[in-house]
Amino acid sequence: MNTKPLTKTVTFIEALAIVVGMIIGSGIFLKPGIVLNHAGTPWMSILAWGIGGIITLASALSVAEIAAAIPKSGGLYTYLGELYGGVFGYLLGWVQAVISYPASVAALAIAFATYSGYFLPLNQWQQKLLAVSILAFILLMNVIATKFGGIIQTVATVGKLIPVAGIVGVGLFSDLAPGFGGIGATATGAGFGAAVLGTLWAYDGWISVTNMAGEIKDPAKTLPKVISIGVMFVIAVYVLFNIAIFKALPYDQIISSQTPGADAAEALFGSGGGAFITAGIIVSVLGALNGYLMTAARVPQAMGEKNQIPFSRVLRSIHPKFQTPANALIFQSVLAVIYIFSGTFNTLTDLLVFVLWIFFTMGVFGVFILRKKLPQEKGRYRVPLYPVTPILGVAGGIYILASTIVSDPLRSLVGIGITLAGLPVYYVLSRKNR
């Protein structure tokens, strides 16, 4: 192994596929009913998806300015360290590298195996073995070449859009309009704010592309483009997909169904629609799994370069033949396998939602700090409509934090405790570095 810089092999299209592929997971197929239930009417539900997208876009455009000014691997971990100080970057890196990313990878691997059960019935242990097997395949491809990971991401992203495009294309131009025919009786009407909150979870994931900055060709120009284009594309997809579902299914069925995407496919394409959409979900989850593992490894690798993680020398090493962060990829995968067999992945990701949104909101606010700390270079990307755009993004983050505290204060406190548990390691390593 060696510590040479990672080679810049990730193209514009592959970076765009990471953005789109990590946002569009299984949520688009499962969330419409939940959002509609909160919003109360189809048009208010569509408005919620639009507003959630605008808040996400505001955050994305703001972080894109930071990415253009600090085009380094590690993404938000690096940005927080440079803008707020090393301890803030470390705490995020600690949570991401040890818990959040590998737990998310484990959850996606299990989701892949679970949806595969639609075509091949599996018991619990068989599901776990299939989850580990698909993870091992993704790991191998990413170790051999980042290019292979990029190809998988691009193909999977195109593949997952096929069932979405099918439902949108047929649904929008069909004569059906049951969902728009009136308000049903089963909506709880929890509120428009709850509906927007539900959409914001579905828009998550785009920021992980910044972890790959060191391997993206011309990252200062590429990152702002792929982030803004990718998020705007997903907003359009989500809004059109929901309109198509509302035309295909009755109001009450959308709310009561656990799988409104599959139900809409069956209404539009017949009995084979369920298989069609399930196959789409499997491809979608595969793309998200590849994207998460690919980008996750860049955090411990970046931490290793700063000696901010145990076994830094090993984790920062680059494979001499493949020129990939092989050790960091293996490290994330081993943790993910542990979480798969322990069954703790959902619990861990739920515990850390609050903490991760603290860091994310700090990242969006960081554009204000950036403009004070770094001189503005001519031609460098700047967030449009400053300061309104970042203020909107920060407001969205604060809204999520406030909602999380109100809904589950104990879980929020436990998440903070898990995060602060990394401080002793930080101070020990800092003393060694000095």
Side-chain angles (χ1 to χ4, degrees), residues 6-334:
L6 291 162
T7 54
K8 294 185 179 293
T9 59
V10 179
T11 65
F12 178 91
I13 294 297
E14 290 165 348
L16 184 61
I18 292 173
V19 175
V20 175
M22 292 190 67
I23 299 176
I24 302 179
S26 59
I28 180 61
F29 302 103
L30 308 176
K31 280 277 188 184
I34 296 171
V35 175
L36 175 60
N37 190 33
H38 292 320
T41 70
W43 287 116
M44 289 301 290
S45 176
I46 292 167
L47 182 61
W49 283 99
I51 290 178
I54 290 171
I55 292 172
T56 302
L57 182 60
S59 301
L61 294 173
S62 302
V63 173
E65 179 170 332
I66 302 174
I70 311 173
K72 302 177 183 177
S73 290
L76 192 56
Y77 153 76
T78 300
Y79 307 154
L80 293 182
E82 300 240 354
L83 297 174
Y84 292 93
V87 67
F88 291 100
Y90 165 80
L91 287 174
L92 173 62
W94 147 260
V95 167
Q96 286 182 327
V98 179
I99 305 172
S100 174
Y101 271 133
S104 295
V105 168
L108 287 164
I110 286 291
F112 178 91
T114 301
Y115 285 113
S116 297
Y118 182 93
F119 302 101
L120 181 67
L122 302 169
N123 61 36
Q124 187 177 18
W125 277 102
Q126 289 171 332
Q127 283 186 351
K128 290 183 176 182
L129 290 175
L130 178 57
V132 172
S133 298
I134 193 62
L135 174 57
F137 169 74
I138 296 296
L139 168 64
L140 179 62
M141 292 298 99
N142 278 275
V143 166
I144 292 175
T146 299
K147 197 71 181 172
F148 287 166
I151 292 171
I152 292 173
Q153 192 65 32
T154 304
V155 172
T157 299
V158 172
K160 75 173 62 179
L161 290 174
I162 291 174
V164 173
I167 290 177
V168 169
V170 176
L172 290 181
F173 297 102
S174 72
D175 294 330
L176 301 174
F180 290 107
I183 299 176
T186 59
T188 63
F192 187 72
V196 174
L197 184 63
T199 69
L200 287 173
W201 302 129
Y203 281 111
D204 195 24
W206 58 267
I207 198 170
S208 292
V209 72
T210 61
N211 295 357
M212 306 286 296
E215 295 154 89
I216 294 175
K217 297 174 182 178
D218 196 4
K221 292 184 178 180
T222 300
L223 281 173
K225 289 180 181 178
V226 298
I227 289 172
S228 55
I229 293 172
V231 171
M232 285 189 287
F233 175 77
V234 172
I235 293 171
V237 168
Y238 280 4
V239 169
L240 292 174
F241 187 81
N242 276 271
I243 293 174
I245 283 185
F246 295 150
K247 288 194 68 177
L249 297 176
Y251 182 96
D252 287 342
Q253 184 179 349
I254 298 171
I255 292 177
S256 62
S257 174
Q258 297 294 315
T259 56
D263 291 348
E266 287 193 16
L268 295 169
F269 303 113
S271 59
F276 177 61
I277 204 70
T278 302
I281 292 175
I282 290 172
V283 174
S284 186
V285 170
L286 178 66
L289 171 60
N290 179 75
Y292 265 91
L293 182 60
M294 179 191 295
T295 57
R298 274 61 187 180
V299 175
Q301 196 271 332
M303 294 182 76
E305 290 180 347
K306 296 181 179 179
N307 293 313
Q308 284 194 334
I309 192 171
F311 308 105
S312 288
R313 187 174 62 84
V314 175
L315 291 174
R316 69 172 174 251
S317 296
I318 307 303
H319 196 285
K321 180 179 179 182
F322 302 135
Q323 293 298 298
T324 59
N327 287 346
L329 284 161
I330 294 169
F331 170 66
Q332 294 289 269
S333 298
V334 168

